[in-house]
């Protein structure tokens, strides 16, 4: 009942990257090699928002429901929205600033570097859609409502598949990032709409504020949990650097496998 929707959701989420890779493949080898430099950071965003930090708020929601504490439930929801938005702004700003240097350090140059930056400039600005989607989906999972995030993720996947190819054809590598951000934006809107419906079972009460100590506690636990994704993606970035030293085709091939 609980594991199957989560497993199916992971498969659906992986299909988004595969569809994107197929769409970009039609642009040439550079279009596959460039995003290979940035894709570990896309995965890191997923791991932060749906696993490490998202898992922290999901667990907090489960505890609030177990304690039958509506006030704490509202505080968890408010904290989740604050954490998602603030982390997206912070992470996106940092990556926009260090992106050119980071991608160059990983071996990107010329057209490959241009392709990576073209994708990154859009994804880093729009990653708030992925943060909101995954963290709100975690709230529903924490409440035991496993099929709501699954249906939302299915909607994201189908929508992405429909718009990715025409956007890539029209805007090139930027179109791939546009499709990803737009699909997750629609998914976020759907989840937020459901969250604030009285029938959601976890609708927040605006009269319950958000104590700063409660927010900081969730932040602290989330940052501790984030250490594992950081180590994992650091290894992935190191391998990406090695792949780039072996040539364009190797880097493009590695980028396909990572997806």
């Amino acid at each position: 009942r609980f594991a199957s929707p989560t497993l199916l959701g992971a498969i659906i989420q992986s299909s988004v990257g595969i569809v994107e890779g197929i769409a970009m493949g039609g642009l040439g080898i550079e279009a596959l090699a460039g995003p290979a430099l940035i894709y570990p950071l896309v995965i890191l965003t997923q791991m932060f928002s749906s696993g490490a930090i998202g898992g922290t708020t999901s667990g907090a929601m489960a505890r609030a429901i177990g304690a039958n504490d509506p006030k704490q439930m509202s505080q968890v929801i408010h904290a989740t929205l604050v954490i998602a938005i603030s982390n997206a702004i912070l992470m996106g700003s940092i990556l926009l600033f260090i992106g050119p240097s980071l991608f160059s350090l990983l071996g990107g140059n010329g057209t490959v570097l241009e392709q990576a930056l073209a994708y990154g400039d859009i994804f880093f600005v729009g990653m708030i859609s992925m943060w909101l989607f995954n963290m709100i989906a975690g709230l529903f999972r924490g409440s035991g409502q496993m099929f709501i995030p699954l249906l939302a993720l299915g909607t994201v996947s189908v929508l992405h598949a429909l718009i990715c190819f025409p956007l890539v054809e029209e805007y090139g590598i930027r179109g791939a990032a546009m499709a990803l951000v737009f699909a997750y934006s629609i998914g976020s809107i759907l989840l937020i709409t459901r969250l604030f419906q009285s029938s959601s079972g976890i609708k927040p009460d605006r009269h319950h504020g958000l104590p700063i100590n409660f927010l900081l506690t969730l932040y602290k636990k989330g940052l501790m949990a984030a250490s594992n994704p950081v180590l994992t993606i650091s290894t992935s970035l190191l391998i990406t650097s090695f792949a780039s030293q072996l040539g364009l085709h190797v880097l493009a091939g590695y980028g396909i496998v990572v997806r």
Side-chain angles (χ1 to χ4, degrees), residues 7-20 39 46 153 157 184 258-259:
L7 177 61
L8 182 57
I11 295 173
I12 293 174
Q13 203 160 37
S14 298
S15 71
V16 173
I18 295 173
V19 168
E20 184 181 74
Y39 200 68
Q46 292 276 18
L153 190 55
S157 178
Y184 272 99
V258 168
R259 293 177 182 276

Side-chain angles (χ1 to χ4, degrees), residues 80-167:
T80 297
L81 296 175
V82 170
I83 291 172
I85 294 171
S86 60
N87 281 354
I89 293 174
L90 178 61
M91 185 176 180
S93 299
I94 292 174
L95 292 176
L96 277 172
F97 180 74
I98 69 171
S101 299
L102 176 61
F103 299 147
S104 295
L105 184 64
L106 293 174
N109 56 73
T111 304
V112 173
L113 179 58
E114 292 175 1
Q115 296 280 19
L117 293 174
Y119 188 102
D121 286 346
I122 293 174
F123 176 72
F124 295 153
V125 172
M127 65 163 54
I128 189 172
S129 62
M130 186 176 287
W131 271 97
L132 282 171
F133 179 88
N134 285 328
M135 292 199 66
I136 295 174
L139 291 176
F140 283 106
R141 294 190 186 99
S143 70
Q145 302 179 68
M146 308 302 290
F147 284 97
I148 291 177
L150 178 61
L151 291 174
L153 190 55
T155 302
V156 168
S157 178
V158 172
L159 177 60
H160 178 265
L162 291 174
I163 66 176
C164 189
F165 288 92
L167 283 176

Side-chain angles (χ1 to χ4, degrees), residues 166-183:
L167 283 176
V168 168
E169 183 177 351
E170 179 69 22
Y171 299 103
I173 201 70
R174 290 181 176 83
M178 291 177 186
L180 185 66
V181 169
F182 182 78

